[in-house]
Amino acid sequence: MMPDTQTRLVGVIGWPIEHSLSPAMQNAALREMGLNWTYLAFAVEPERVGDAVAGARGLGLVGLNVTIPHKAAVIEHLDEIDESVEALGVANTIVRTPEGRLLGHNTDGAGFLRSLAEHGHSVGGRAVAVIGAGGSARSIAWACARDGASSVAIINRTVEKAEAVADLVRATTPLAAVSVAPLEGREAQEAVSGADVVIDCTSVGMYPKHEVAPVVPGEWLREGQVVADLTYNPIETVLLQAARRAGAQSVDGAGMLVHQGAISLQYWSGQEPPVETMRAALLGALGARK
Ligand code: NAP
């Protein structure tokens, strides 16, 4: 579809942004939905975030995705934020209402829970081990606690960062069973082996350093567990290979990426996005990179 006077714009802001897979995924969905919208990637310097958000408001964009390093900085430029943004202090989706108000959402945690659900899994009533304590670990730990996990253990190389994530989860959800462990040692082994759902939120195993030891030894994993890895390049990471060998069920990171984007598109359009089309576009774009 060639742009015309009715074409509306939506996009993603980040710095840098060239690596983003969102345009491929979102434009494939827009085509299938028959929406006369175009999704673009905007490289926005950190000191220009306010200008970029004001531009979206003034030009009447449908909305924006927000990626690193702007997820926290956009918040002061929005009119309203939802509960996830309030708790986590980061937004990845901005919706512009027809009146020009800007609403902030964070779809990462919900996207992850949907990716589990499409494999028939959930965290409700289950013990969860989150490995890592960076930006994605915060969203995932919070979402699992909010979605009814019976306990959440946060395991990280830098234990102080795990403490900070645990404090956030305790302060913003009703879950009291939140524990912390350093990555190496017996406590981590017990938490990982005892968990029903193990979620790797570290960057260990990401291409091009994909042929490394998994973030936890394969011997810590077992049959009956669900092991999810947020890293999506490669799709089957070293941790997921170890999970397969241990007889655990694995969930790759592509599902979360697709679903967080699909939830954003649902906010913007009010329609159910074509998730399989988005997944195919994402996998195609990933394959083209190698
Ligand atoms: P981040 O904020 O930079 O956090 C990275 C985490 O990895 C930290 O906890 C860090 O530990 C840990 N780490 C890094 N190298 C390590 C090593 N060699 N050994 C042990 N731990 C190590 O990153 P993020 O934004 O949370 O992203 C993490 C991963 O998730 C990336 O691969 C990213 O691509 C992926 N991700 C995927 C999705 C999706 O939709 N599938 C969404 C978001 C992120 P320290 O605290 O000790 O440094």
Side-chain angles (χ1 to χ4, degrees):
M1 205 185 282
M2 283 293 284
D4 58 23
T5 55
Q6 306 291 312
T7 304
R8 299 197 61 200
L9 205 55
V10 59
V12 56
I13 58 171
W15 181 262
I17 198 64
E18 295 72 28
H19 64 282
S20 178
L21 296 159
S22 294
M25 202 167 69
Q26 296 286 357
N27 283 314
L30 295 177
R31 272 195 300 277
E32 182 153 330
M33 293 163 85
L35 289 170
N36 185 5
W37 299 0
T38 294
Y39 186 104
L40 292 181
F42 299 102
V44 174
E45 294 168 70
E47 53 277 21
R48 297 276 188 210
V49 168
D51 293 343
V53 176
R57 195 196 295 270
L59 292 171
L61 265 63
V62 176
L64 285 172
N65 278 135
V66 183
T67 188
I68 291 166
H70 303 323
K71 288 182 173 192
V74 291
I75 293 176
E76 64 172 300
H77 305 288
L78 306 179
D79 299 307
E80 219 176 290
I81 54 173
D82 74 7
E83 188 197 359
S84 63
V85 180
E86 175 90 48
L88 298 165
V90 285
N92 74 342
T93 303
I94 301 173
V95 179
R96 184 187 182 281
T97 67
E99 299 74 39
R101 285 175 62 74
L102 300 180
L103 319 178
H105 302 276
N106 190 316
T107 66
D108 281 339
F112 173 73
L113 294 174
R114 280 200 196 175
S115 79
L116 276 188
E118 74 181 358
H119 286 84
H121 308 305
S122 70
V123 295
R126 310 186 82 192
V128 173
V130 171
I131 307 169
S136 61
R138 284 161 68 97
S139 303
I140 299 299
W142 180 81
C144 291
R146 248 202 99 251
D147 213 52
S150 58
S151 63
V152 174
I154 297 148
I155 299 153
N156 195 45
R157 179 176 64 178
T158 311
V159 77
E160 295 77 17
K161 286 206 221 163
E163 294 282 5
V165 176
D167 288 346
L168 178 136
V169 173
R170 289 190 200 103
T172 55
T173 75
L175 186 67
V178 183
S179 60
V180 162
L183 185 55
E184 281 167 17
R186 211 164 54 88
E187 272 176 281
Q189 179 171 3
E190 281 171 8
V192 169
S193 297
D196 301 304
V197 182
V198 178
I199 310 162
D200 181 4
C201 302
T202 72
S203 44
V204 177
M206 186 163 68
Y207 185 84
K209 293 185 186 165
H210 55 297
E211 285 169 352
V212 293
V215 72
V216 294
E219 304 82 74
W220 293 10
L221 307 174
R222 58 176 171 78
E223 206 177 326
Q225 273 182 326
V226 176
V227 178
D229 200 331
L230 263 52
T231 295
Y232 49 80
N233 190 12
I235 296 291
E236 192 182 52
T237 60
V238 277
L239 181 69
L240 296 186
Q241 289 169 21
R244 180 161 48 80
R245 285 193 294 269
Q249 304 193 48
S250 64
V251 175
D252 66 56
M256 173 177 165
L257 192 58
V258 168
H259 283 287
Q260 59 79 31
I263 298 169
S264 298
L265 182 49
Q266 203 164 2
Y267 276 126
W268 296 322
S269 66
Q271 298 176 33
E272 195 69 45
V275 169
E276 289 315 316
T277 299
M278 295 176 82
R279 192 189 321 271
L282 168 71
L283 296 179
L286 268 176
R289 266 188 189 177
K290 289 189 181 150

